[in-house]
Amino acid sequence: MPDTTSAAPGERKRLVSGPGLLLVWLYGVMVVGALSRSAYQISTEFDRAPLAYSLSGAAALVYAFITYSLVRGGETARKAALICCAAELAGVLAVGAWTLVRPEAFPDATVWSDFGMGYLFIPVILPVTGMLWLRARR
């Protein structure tokens, strides 16, 4: 069976093969979950917890960019996705710690609250897995 993951000169290297396909699927699910949640909350009850809802919206944008980069493929997209995964992990760790130390700042949960506990800790596991996959695709 030919290797479809290596790119000929001028072609983009595929990032969506094997485990990369699972990553795209999981990031896609997170885009839908975070975007629909934040859109609803921002449009109906923004004054209740503006920080939490804005952070959920930001998470949705990060997930969407990573999904796009994985699907696009190529070395530039791989590097961009790797940087975004690192930023995502930093965000999850910062917001997760912030929600534990200062819970009063978050009258409602974000996607990254308590390190993603409301999403089965996928928000903290996904960027680590993504970075490992993207580093291996070099």
Side-chain angles (χ1 to χ4, degrees):
M1 179 168 249
D3 178 15
T4 59
T5 60
S6 57
E11 290 183 27
R12 287 190 203 127
K13 186 174 182 180
R14 288 181 45 117
L15 299 173
V16 202
S17 60
L21 186 58
L22 179 60
L23 274 175
V24 167
W25 186 84
L26 287 171
Y27 269 113
V29 168
M30 293 303 290
V31 169
V32 171
L35 185 61
S36 59
R37 174 185 181 156
S38 64
Y40 173 78
Q41 291 172 323
I42 288 171
S43 65
T44 61
E45 43 195 40
F46 185 73
D47 56 332
R48 182 170 163 230
L51 178 61
Y53 302 152
S54 297
L55 287 171
S56 288
L61 294 176
V62 170
Y63 294 144
F65 183 80
I66 293 170
T67 304
Y68 169 77
S69 296
L70 290 171
V71 170
R72 179 165 169 72
E75 184 59 17
T76 302
R78 186 194 69 78
K79 288 178 182 177
L82 188 58
I83 290 167
C84 271
C85 283
E88 174 194 359
L89 181 59
V92 172
L93 295 176
V95 173
W98 191 2
T99 57
L100 294 177
V101 174
R102 301 272 326 253
E104 67 278 0
F106 296 89
D108 203 354
T110 74
V111 174
W112 294 343
S113 291
D114 303 319
F115 306 103
M117 186 168 61
Y119 286 81
L120 304 174
F121 296 103
I122 292 172
V124 78
I125 296 167
L126 200 54
V128 172
T129 307
M131 287 188 296
L132 292 172
W133 170 251
L134 290 164
R135 285 182 50 83
R137 302 304 299 164
R138 264 195 280 204

